[in-house]
Amino acid sequence: MKTQVAIIGAGPAGLLLGHLLKAEGVDCVVIERQTPDYVLGRIRAGVLEQITVDLMARLGLDERLRAEGLVEEGFNLADGERLIRIDVANLTGQTVVVYGQTEITKDLMDAAPARGLPVIYGAEDVAVFDIETDAPYVTYTLDGAPQRIDARFIAGCDGFHGPSRKAIPASVAREYERVYPFGWLGILADVPPCNHELIYANHQRGFALASMRSHTRSRYYIDVPLTEKIEDWSDDRIWDELAIRLGPDAAANMTRGPSIEKSIAPLRSYVFEPMRHGSLLLCGDAAHIVPPTGAKGLNLAASDVHYAAHALTHYFKRADNDAIAGYSAKALARVWKSERFSWTLTKLMHRFPDDGPFERAMQVAELDYIASSTAAQMSIAENYVGLPV
Ligand code: APR
Ligand code: PHB
């Protein structure tokens, strides 16, 4: 098979890129290892920046998002005693939308056949070759039969564990990594949220987040040492801990219910440079990971894809190679700023095992400063809604 762009991975990055290229008349194929059900079974964050909403709107795939998404005008930081509201709408003139990442993936997946976007599921042993030439190719096995797709470019949208990034030679690669000494224990339940806006809390006992998927489905998190086992956390124990960490007001409004899902996820900051080598472009988690504090993961994948779609479209429609040449630097400039925000918010809202009274005092002082300074709130708000692309 021959195509212009072979896209590896049908997560949000790969599907979004596929749709954007198709809409511009660029030929592409998406190759995914898992089944559609498996892809849709992954539970991930759910706060969309304007850029992500705009991309769905540009594709005309925002109908369900507009109907079901919850527009949020602000969010809260809690310091154990009070809520500090960040009035995002007033400070920036913009809002975010609460809509699960799984729903975005579903909307993109469902629209693929009608838009003529081929997605091959169940592709095993995907490998990329000749990325330093103008004729790279992808091989894989489908139902036991070997397959090959020749392309002009390959887009590596295959997440943190995929093969694309590994195809870039170590001699040109730079990796930056920070692994955090705790994980987030998440619980999803069909109960109304305790607050109509998100609450990120830094309590003496640790971090907690109150989030939601809809008016009837809540998502909560607490941080736990990485040695904790999910089996030791009954639903009651999680609800009790949330009630303490989120504070009395949120606790009074919190409805408990049986978990639909609960799991512990590690936290990591990671950046791989460059995001392009020869004919291979990396997008999303294939190139970078942020800790979930601030919900930047999907939004960063969306901005990469925005730059990549622009670069690839210019190449095929205007024979212009400059945007391809500039892709890595352009994407990384925004990636690093989102990494900075996610890291800063993680440091501000979590207890690290080595933290002593001084580090705690610094967190308290910073939260107090944020509570009293419009400038500090503005800085947080503009990062939360997403920096310009
Ligand atoms: N061959 C083909 N597909 C693969 C392979 C492989 N060897 N390895 C991984 N994939 C697929 C995965 O099964 C997954 O469907 O690539 C896709 C990558 O999707 P995501 O991990 O969701 O990554 P991305 O699309 O970049 O989305 C970024 O997802 O992980 C969250 O927090 C992250 O919100 C961010 C968003
Ligand atoms: C979520 O709703 O799952 C969520 C929200 C905000 C975050 C992380 C996760 O920062």
Side-chain angles (χ1 to χ4, degrees), residues 9 12-13 32-34 42 44 101 126 157-159 163 284-285 297-298:
E32 164 64 48
R33 182 171 56 153
Q34 307 289 356
R42 289 192 284 240
R44 299 242 170 99
Q101 174 175 325
V126 173
C157 302
D158 45 357
D285 280 15
L298 169 62

Side-chain angles (χ1 to χ4, degrees), residues 84 86 91 367-380:
I84 305 165
I86 310 294
L91 289 162
L367 285 164
D368 201 30
Y369 168 58
I370 293 167
S372 65
S373 162
T374 309
Q377 290 175 18
M378 175 66 132
S379 168
I380 292 176

Side-chain angles (χ1 to χ4, degrees), residues 44-47 184 198 200 209 211-213 219 221 292-295:
R44 299 242 170 99
V47 181
W184 274 21
L198 274 67
Y200 292 87
L209 167 59
S211 179
M212 71 210 79
R213 291 289 175 275
R219 180 73 167 156
Y221 300 90
T293 335

Side-chain angles (χ1 to χ4, degrees), residues 210-230:
S211 179
M212 71 210 79
R213 291 289 175 275
S214 68
H215 293 304
T216 55
R217 181 169 284 190
S218 301
R219 180 73 167 156
Y220 290 94
Y221 300 90
I222 51 173
D223 76 327
V224 293
L226 283 168
T227 46
E228 289 293 312
K229 301 223 171 348
I230 195 70

Side-chain angles (χ1 to χ4, degrees), residues 285-297:
D285 280 15
H288 42 72
I289 298 286
V290 286
T293 335
K296 291 294 169 210

